[in-house]
Amino acid sequence: MTQIIRDRKIKFALIGCGRISARHFEAVFGDETGGVRPNPDAEFVDICDIDPGALETACKKYNLRGHRDYREMLAVTDADVVAVCTPNGLHYEMGMAAVENKKHVLMEKPFCADLMDADNLIAAARDRRLHTFAVLQVRYNNTIQILKKLIAENKLGKIYSAAVCVRWLRPQKYFTGWRGTRRLDCGTALNQGIHYVDILQWLLGPVRRVVAQSATIAHSIELEDQISSLIEFKSGVQATFEFSVNTFPRNKECSLYISAEKGSVEISGDAMNRIEYWEIEGCERPDLDVREGNTYAGGLYKGSCPNHPFIYNDVIRVLKTGDVNYINGDQARKSLELVLTMYKSSAEKKFIEFI
Ligand SMILES: NC(=O)c1ccc[n+]([C@@H]2O[C@H](COP(=O)([O-])OP(=O)(O)OC[C@H]3O[C@@H](n4cnc5c(N)ncnc54)[C@H](O)[C@@H]3O)[C@@H](O)[C@H]2O)c1
């Protein structure tokens, strides 16, 4: 069993002080508006970035020890957990290096970019009694929590079909540096779509088979910018997944529609963050606070909801109590497998069966 840390704060280190690191720092230090409160049970001890500007900015803002080389940081840090916030194609090597240095890992999405890498990382952590925490924070949208409960309590009756539409825009100028490259971005559905593939499989899985077709239509990038998929679940539910970053002039919607025996429900908004439609026998429509998706790069694009504090609370609870209920590598592997199988189906132009 993993050692329980009762008498002190949980210590975090972080690799990659770019856009998403702000959400990680906020989860520990709180934000300037007071919307996110500082977490009394967590502290950052070391951070790393190869970009001296990004590193210096974060070190100064939060008064932290900085490192330019993640292996050097791992060799000296006394952190309990290392958050991996670098480009997608680097997640595996950094997660593995952290585990080899006896650190729990908090992996930004996608958990890894390859299924065998994910399996190796999960196994390496398990062998050392370490945790693999996965940042799939969209599960904490209040809309999604409500749907999860409705399904668990069988309030929808038999589910017939579901449809996810991610009609987002990432303008060409979003795709600079690592973004849009095969080696480091690894897939647009893998990068932007994975949260919503995860929701689909979390609510309705396990999957029986998948067929998909992807294309690069409106961008000059090495990856797909849209993909359409039909997913059949073992329960018999049929679902469609329509994903695009070609929705001009801006994000149109990110929605999930479920049709079932006792009625229908649709959650939508920019990031599955609003109830759009609710007609369910015997269930009143809930009144929800709407949390908006994050805006990045000075308003260039809007992403998923800023629920990182929930993930940090999970990490802290698990390490302080020994609880095993959290979003781990095994769970993240499922959505990773689903996206990678969509790619395989698109390349091979056929249905792919899940075991
Ligand atoms: N959970 C979410 O909703 C969410 C949202 C946005 C991004 N992300 C994920 O977060 C990760 C980072 O995305 P971002 O938007 O912050 O990218 P970014 O480019 O803004 O930041 C990445 C940082 O990693 C640094 N870096 C690159 N190579 C490095 C190395 N070898 N050692 C140390 N640092 C290195 C870069 O210098 C940069 O500062 C990606 O995996 C992305 O998919 C998650």
Side-chain angles (χ1 to χ4, degrees):
M1 191 177 138
T2 311
Q3 198 191 351
I4 292 182
I5 303 166
R6 279 187 228 279
D7 51 345
R8 62 166 174 82
K9 295 181 181 198
I10 305 300
K11 298 179 188 183
F12 289 87
L14 177 144
I15 315 173
C17 304
R19 290 177 193 169
I20 202 61
S21 69
R23 304 284 89 79
H24 290 250
F25 293 135
E26 263 169 31
V28 170
F29 294 108
D31 71 358
E32 279 122 22
T33 67
V36 182
R37 288 230 243 0
N39 193 318
D41 293 318
E43 63 182 324
F44 271 101
V45 289
D46 288 281
I47 58 173
C48 168
D49 201 298
I50 44 169
D51 174 348
L55 184 62
E56 196 190 337
T57 304
C59 284
K60 275 199 176 140
K61 182 165 180 187
Y62 301 108
N63 194 20
L64 293 170
R65 266 193 308 267
H67 306 260
R68 294 282 295 283
D69 182 313
Y70 78 92
R71 290 189 186 275
E72 282 177 23
M73 178 182 86
L74 291 173
V76 297
T77 184
D78 66 345
D80 305 297
V81 187
V82 175
V84 176
C85 303
T86 47
N88 306 332
L90 301 175
H91 288 188
Y92 172 64
E93 67 170 70
M94 294 177 173
M96 199 59 156
V99 162
E100 282 166 354
N101 280 275
K102 301 191 180 61
K103 307 298 176 192
H104 303 287
V105 284
L106 173 55
M107 305 296 291
E108 259 303 344
K109 60 80 187 161
F111 184 74
C112 288
D114 175 274
L115 213 51
M116 210 182 287
D117 288 351
D119 288 339
N120 286 341
L121 180 56
I122 293 165
R126 191 168 289 140
D127 287 350
R128 294 166 177 82
R129 298 179 183 188
L130 296 166
H131 294 285
T132 51
F133 299 97
V135 183
L136 288 169
Q137 84 278 3
V138 172
R139 291 189 187 189
Y140 285 106
N141 281 15
N142 44 19
T143 45
I144 308 285
Q145 293 282 317
I146 283 173
L147 285 185
K148 183 73 178 166
K149 192 159 178 280
L150 274 182
I151 293 170
E153 292 173 355
N154 198 28
K155 294 270 174 58
L156 292 172
K158 184 174 166 51
I159 297 176
Y160 300 140
S161 64
V164 167
C165 288
V166 184
R167 293 178 178 142
W168 272 359
L169 177 69
R170 293 294 180 269
Q172 182 65 42
K173 63 181 171 193
Y174 163 87
F175 291 101
T176 53
W178 63 273
R179 295 184 171 84
T181 65
R182 185 143 307 284
R183 188 176 77 83
L184 290 175
D185 190 332
C186 310
T188 309
L190 187 72
N191 192 357
Q192 275 81 36
I194 193 129
H195 282 305
Y196 304 101
V197 170
D198 182 62
I199 296 307
L200 198 51
Q201 72 80 25
W202 190 48
L203 295 178
L204 302 173
V207 175
R208 177 178 291 144
R209 60 183 192 147
V210 173
V211 69
Q213 183 164 315
S214 66
T216 311
I217 303 273
H219 293 86
S220 172
I221 52 176
E222 294 172 11
L223 308 169
E224 83 287 354
D225 56 10
Q226 61 185 52
I227 189 162
S228 303
S229 177
L230 177 64
I231 301 151
E232 189 182 309
F233 289 96
K234 289 191 172 154
S235 61
V237 174
Q238 295 215 336
T240 54
F241 176 72
E242 178 198 325
F243 168 84
S244 162
V245 289
N246 298 334
T247 315
F248 291 91
R250 65 183 68 83
N251 286 3
K252 153 75 172 58
E253 68 179 276
C254 175
S255 63
L256 164 63
Y257 175 80
I258 295 179
S259 163
E261 193 183 358
K262 302 228 173 109
S264 298
V265 58
E266 184 179 6
I267 56 171
S268 188
D270 265 314
M272 290 190 187
N273 53 340
R274 292 169 191 274
I275 294 177
E276 187 73 27
Y277 182 80
W278 182 284
E279 290 282 345
I280 306 163
E281 209 181 296
C283 282
E284 254 187 55
R285 179 184 176 126
D287 223 0
L288 292 184
D289 282 346
V290 175
R291 285 198 294 264
E292 295 298 337
N294 279 306
T295 300
Y296 290 99
L300 182 66
Y301 65 98
K302 240 179 155 185
S304 303
C305 283
N307 297 336
H308 284 69
F310 292 99
I311 302 286
Y312 272 76
N313 286 343
D314 283 350
V315 174
I316 292 160
R317 190 190 67 255
V318 165
L319 296 185
K320 282 192 162 286
T321 68
D323 187 9
V324 288
N325 187 20
Y326 65 96
I327 309 172
N328 61 18
D330 288 313
Q331 294 189 38
R333 185 196 187 281
K334 292 182 188 173
S335 38
L336 178 64
E337 181 178 25
L338 187 44
V339 176
L340 295 177
T341 308
M342 287 179 194
Y343 290 154
K344 184 169 156 67
S345 165
S346 180
E348 296 179 7
K349 301 193 188 321
K350 62 175 194 193
F351 264 103
I352 310 273
E353 305 283 331
F354 276 52
I355 299 158

